[in-house]
Amino acid sequence: MSGVARILLSLVVIVLIAAGIAVWIVRGPGPLAFADGPKVTLADYRGANPTGVPGSLAKASAVERGEYLAKAADCMVCHTAPGGKEYAGGLGFQLPFGTLYSTNITADRETGIGNYSDQDFLNAVQRGKRHDGAMLYPAMPYTSYTYMTDADTLAIKAYLFSLPPVRAAAPANTLSFPFNQRWAMLFWSALFNPDTRYAPDTSKSPEWNRGAYLVEALAHCGECHTPRNLAFALDNRKKFGGAVTAGWRAFNISSDKATGVGGWSDDDLASYLSTGHAKGRGTASGPMGEAVDHSLSQLAPEDIRAVVAYLRSVPATASTDLPATVAPPAPASHKEGPSADARGKMVFQGACVSCHGWTGESFVSPMATLTGAWAVNDPGATNVAQIVISGTKRHTPEGALSMPAFGNAYTDDEIAAVANYVTARFGTKGSKLTAQDVAELRKQTAQ
């Protein structure tokens, strides 16, 4: 071999090695890489089957099992527009590069998935590929759903096909270039979708494996609670460390004791997951409130316990922008405590104090208590502003207190002021939101 050939060969090898390193850096570890015990196929697993439905539904029909699994996977929320028919699509996701609309997944043959074969449905859910061969955008969390078994996926299809078909075409997406190039998702999927089913970890308990399947495959918790890398894929090096999604902050749910859920009791976690509220921990709002109402609250108690067991094992990731401890109740007198923005205090006094009180501990409902909530202890005040803009619409538990939306009643400047006042009075550090920040938050919420 000549000297030139050796040099060229060396350059090719270097380029290939560099490309491999780059792919490894961008792709990162998988969601279950932290659990390094032996993995086996379901067929070879000797413990209780961690997939499927709880024991109480073991003898249920495919449609009944599919209904439970569809709720666990939270399908309805993303595929239902405000005021629209369930599962008929049309919900708009406001992204930095345009709006993406969810599709109709009823059995309508023209505008829904009525023509989908079983294999078509498996391809869509597990691989992100439509009936016509085009790729789905990863707003459809198929990189998480890929871990679902074929049996569970097809049970969901049986349930969807048991519902009345709805004729409803989704609005056209308004994504800007290059994000409107759907064909590029083929390469994204090849890089970030493992296209593999859940493999139990034999070193873990059956309860842990059930929790892992629920959290990673069905409930796809990482899609909101794990930050994303430059390619908009999940960065599992910071697994469950918290992220801003659809204009709301999904807080840290790793085992970090200060800024995650490591310091929560099992009862705290179970209560929050099943009702959206835990005493001294706050109340779920926004997308998390919807997830509780329509998905997590529908899970069997043993499945909630399995989720808790799994979350306990996720390595701690600290949220460096959050305080190590949350603030205690504020003074009973409005004249005491941080002075903050006078405009914010005026808005709070006129619209908020009757439910939340000056101390932050509500005498109307525990769900309205601000003390201890991460939202008011977040110096970014993202969720505080969003709750003022959009309100909260809670359905769980029965008689749950909802909060009206004030987005149309107050200007961006007034909402910024009251958010800054709330975080200063009830949190550890006041936020510094501006009217422009609030205007941007308004644009990011799903519609």
Side-chain angles (χ1 to χ4, degrees):
M1 182 182 291
S2 67
V4 173
R6 289 193 185 95
I7 292 173
L8 289 175
L9 180 60
S10 298
L11 288 174
V12 169
V13 171
I14 291 171
V15 168
L16 289 174
I17 292 173
I21 293 173
V23 168
W24 180 84
I25 291 173
V26 173
R27 176 184 286 173
L32 287 160
F34 74 91
D36 54 4
K39 310 295 194 303
V40 297
T41 65
L42 276 175
D44 293 330
Y45 184 57
R46 296 295 174 255
N49 186 351
T51 69
V53 295
S56 59
L57 291 173
K59 296 182 179 179
S61 67
V63 170
E64 291 171 319
R65 296 197 308 273
E67 180 179 12
Y68 184 90
L69 294 166
K71 289 176 179 177
D74 208 12
C75 304
M76 189 271 286
V77 167
C78 286
H79 287 276
T80 304
K85 298 286 184 66
E86 291 187 357
Y87 298 107
L91 182 68
F93 296 89
Q94 311 300 319
L95 305 172
F97 37 82
T99 303
L100 183 68
Y101 291 94
S102 65
T103 55
N104 183 342
I105 57 170
T106 72
D108 182 68
R109 288 183 173 274
E110 294 185 24
T111 62
I113 59 171
N115 289 323
Y116 274 50
S117 67
D118 285 355
Q119 188 59 55
D120 288 336
F121 194 77
L122 291 172
N123 287 339
V125 173
Q126 298 171 339
R127 301 173 185 89
K129 182 183 289 188
R130 295 192 319 200
H131 173 67
D132 61 2
M135 297 302 295
L136 296 171
Y137 285 100
M140 157 64 172
Y142 59 84
T143 54
S144 293
Y145 288 160
T146 192
Y147 296 104
M148 288 170 53
T149 64
D150 290 2
D152 286 353
T153 305
L154 294 179
I156 291 176
K157 176 177 180 281
Y159 169 65
L160 293 175
F161 274 57
S162 75
L163 302 175
V166 178
R167 182 177 175 80
N173 299 327
T174 62
L175 304 182
S176 60
F177 184 85
F179 302 100
N180 61 349
Q181 302 301 300
R182 190 181 287 272
W183 58 267
M185 292 300 100
L186 180 66
F187 300 100
W188 189 94
S189 182
L191 188 59
F192 296 113
N193 183 20
D195 189 13
T196 187
R197 288 350 118 220
Y198 180 74
D201 186 325
T202 60
S203 71
K204 306 294 186 183
S205 69
E207 183 178 55
W208 184 95
N209 276 287
R210 175 62 175 170
Y213 185 71
L214 287 164
V215 169
E216 301 296 351
L218 288 166
H220 57 278
C221 302
E223 299 287 341
C224 287
H225 289 277
T226 297
R228 294 182 180 271
N229 59 27
L230 292 176
F232 295 98
L234 299 183
D235 181 2
N236 285 304
R237 294 182 179 91
K238 302 174 183 176
K239 182 177 178 62
F240 291 174
V244 175
T245 305
W248 291 77
R249 179 163 184 171
F251 286 102
N252 189 331
I253 57 170
S254 77
S255 60
D256 184 67
K257 290 185 179 297
T259 59
V261 296
W264 294 38
S265 69
D266 286 357
D267 287 344
D268 285 343
L269 268 172
S271 176
Y272 196 88
L273 291 169
S274 56
T275 71
H277 175 77
K279 185 178 180 180
R281 303 294 186 181
T283 301
S285 299
M288 186 62 193
E290 292 179 335
V292 170
D293 282 345
H294 301 290
S295 177
L296 296 170
S297 66
Q298 310 297 310
L299 297 185
E302 59 266 36
D303 277 352
I304 291 292
R305 290 194 296 270
V307 169
V308 171
Y310 177 72
L311 290 178
R312 290 285 186 223
S313 73
V314 176
T317 296
S319 297
T320 56
D321 60 334
L322 292 178
T325 57
V326 296
S333 172
H334 68 90
K335 297 179 180 180
E336 300 177 39
S339 57
D341 192 318
R343 294 168 303 167
K345 180 178 181 180
M346 182 172 64
V347 173
F348 185 84
Q349 186 168 11
C352 314
V353 73
S354 60
C355 283
H356 299 293
W358 289 112
T359 65
E361 295 188 307
S362 175
F363 51 83
V364 175
S365 168
M367 297 186 77
T369 289
L370 303 177
T371 304
W374 271 125
V376 299
N377 285 277
D378 173 14
T382 298
N383 289 7
V384 172
Q386 288 288 30
I387 292 169
V388 175
I389 293 168
S390 306
T392 62
K393 303 174 183 66
R394 294 300 314 283
H395 306 289
T396 304
E398 186 177 350
L401 184 71
S402 293
M403 174 177 152
F406 290 97
N408 293 329
Y410 292 101
T411 66
D412 292 345
D413 193 58
E414 289 170 324
I415 292 173
V418 74
N420 294 338
Y421 176 77
V422 165
T423 52
R425 182 169 183 83
F426 305 110
T428 56
K429 180 181 179 181
S431 57
K432 299 184 183 300
L433 283 184
T434 66
Q436 183 177 352
D437 294 330
V438 175
E440 287 300 316
L441 288 174
R442 287 185 191 267
K443 296 176 184 177
Q444 295 177 49
T445 53
Q447 298 176 0

